[in-house]
Amino acid sequence: MTTTQAQARQPAPAADGRTAAGTRARHAAGRVLATVARSAALFVPVFLVATLVTFALRSLSGLSPARIQLGEQATPEAIARVESQWGLDRPFLVQYGDWIGGVLHGQLGASWTNGADISTLIGLGLGVSLSVAVLALAIGVVAGFALGTLAALRRTTWVDRVVTGFVTVISVMPAFVVGIVLVAVLAVGLGLFPSAGYVEPGQGIGPWLAHITLPAVALSFDVVADVARQLRTSLVAAYRENYVTGALVRGLSPRRIFFTHVLRNGLGPTLATLGLKFPSLVGASVVTEWIFGLQGFGRFANDSAQSGDVPAVQGVLVVSIVLVVAFNLVVNLVLARVTPASQRGV
């Protein structure tokens, strides 16, 4: 073989590497598209059924903007006039179709109680609740991962028992009790944090964090407990697998075994747990928002339900469904990237 022929053959390995990299990229893009398609296929029927049920319940309940605006002593003529102004004298499916069309354009309608734009009202409350929920989730993930990993690495020792006992205790502590204790000790007693209120991030990151830290800590206890317990169980199970035994026989270091084999295979159930936690943090924090004086999404949903403001309740439902689907989509994308089994298509 001449020198010229040998040089001509040299670029082939680089070309093969580029081909392999392109194949892997296409496979990764295919997994992402498949995950998005599955989420979309789930979102559409859930959304339609949930909104249809809400409309049906409204019709069965007898709630009307006329009852809210005119009172219980309103005459039938006055009630009919107000309902006609709101378009409630039209067929059910026509009302539903008009409302869905507005939702697809970002319009959730007007409130029965004050006529305000529901999209604006929800946006104001959702910003507060998302701030608290994201920080609570971050605290829960960091603390839960640390505790769960520590318990798994020191399994069957006194460290494992202490962590398990601590996690069990905080899992049964209601968020409102934790919130009251935090306000009494850290806000009123020590003066380290404000006891109530909310500050927009645009007015300063420091004041914003100071106002959302205590409610976030109060909400994070349940996340810490669930993440720690689930991660410990998954990691302990992963350590018993044959691939870990094989890695030990090959002489791999404990650090490499943990990060390369155990952690990646044990993350799946924990990430799936987080997919359910974040939406609940946003919507189920009514009592916590009352304690800390926050006008959040949960408090808005509760007030709307108590006042019989059906369009506001429907708007809350739509936003809740979008939050659940969007966050679960993010979790599924992370699972497809991190978990080895999902990359193999198992």
Side-chain angles (χ1 to χ4, degrees), residues 40-233:
L42 176 65
F43 169 76
V44 174
V46 168
F47 178 81
L48 292 177
V49 170
T51 51
L52 274 171
V53 168
T54 302
F55 264 81
L57 291 176
R58 185 205 68 184
S59 301
L60 293 174
S61 67
L63 294 173
S64 168
R67 298 292 183 184
I68 297 175
Q69 297 174 10
L70 304 178
E72 295 295 333
Q73 305 301 322
T75 62
E77 294 77 11
I79 292 175
R81 183 175 62 255
V82 172
E83 290 184 347
S84 176
Q85 293 173 353
W86 285 90
L88 300 182
D89 54 345
R90 297 174 299 167
F92 171 81
L93 291 179
V94 174
Q95 298 180 44
Y96 177 75
D98 290 344
W99 180 76
I100 286 292
V103 169
L104 296 178
H105 291 85
Q107 300 296 324
L108 298 177
S111 170
W112 280 359
T113 58
N114 53 24
D117 182 61
I118 295 174
S119 300
T120 303
L121 296 176
I122 290 180
L124 295 174
L126 191 61
V128 178
S129 295
L130 284 178
S131 299
V132 176
V134 169
L135 183 57
L137 188 70
I139 296 172
V141 167
V142 172
F145 265 68
L147 292 173
T149 302
L150 180 62
L153 293 177
R154 298 291 185 267
R155 56 194 177 279
T156 71
T157 67
W158 67 270
V159 176
D160 185 15
R161 290 191 291 271
V162 169
V163 171
T164 302
F166 173 74
V167 167
T168 302
V169 170
I170 66 173
S171 67
V172 298
M173 297 178 64
F176 72 91
V177 174
V178 178
I180 293 173
V181 173
L182 291 176
V183 170
V185 176
L186 298 181
V188 178
L190 300 178
L192 298 178
F193 296 93
S195 60
Y198 178 76
V199 173
E200 296 288 343
Q203 301 179 21
I205 298 299
W208 172 66
L209 285 174
H211 281 80
I212 66 174
T213 297
L214 292 186
V217 171
L219 288 176
S220 69
F221 274 34
D222 189 48
V223 182
V224 172
D226 284 352
V227 170
R229 285 185 296 203
Q230 185 62 67
L231 185 62
R232 183 213 176 267
T233 302

